[in-house]
Amino acid sequence: RFELVRAETARHLREEQSAGTVRDDIDADTLAAMLVAVSDGLQTQWLLDADIDLRDTLSLFSALLAPR
């Protein structure tokens, strides 16, 4: 599962990097691994504490991916 999710996420990120909507100074495979880890970790935290705001937290992480 993780290999497929990371590969598809990296492919999408490469497309976004080429389009200039995602920073390109970090390797897409690394960004994909980080994004999957953040998402899975937040989901685990949310299961333990429903006050965790998945949408807002993931949106903030996405903002970190924006070009400088």
Side-chain angles (χ1 to χ4, degrees):
R1 172 190 176 272
F2 286 114
E3 185 177 333
L4 178 63
V5 170
R6 281 193 316 264
E8 284 298 310
T9 302
R11 182 189 60 76
H12 178 73
L13 287 167
R14 280 187 199 89
E15 291 172 359
E16 296 294 321
Q17 286 173 326
S18 292
T21 56
V22 168
R23 60 189 298 171
D24 62 2
D25 61 331
I26 302 174
D27 176 68
D29 291 315
T30 301
L31 285 176
M34 292 170 61
L35 182 56
V36 170
V38 168
S39 178
D40 285 352
L42 284 170
Q43 289 175 57
T44 300
Q45 290 181 47
W46 175 78
L47 287 172
L48 298 171
D49 180 358
D51 290 334
I52 299 291
D53 191 331
L54 293 175
R55 183 176 297 152
D56 285 348
T57 306
L58 286 174
S59 291
L60 176 59
F61 186 80
S62 294
L64 298 174
L65 301 181
R68 294 177 182 206

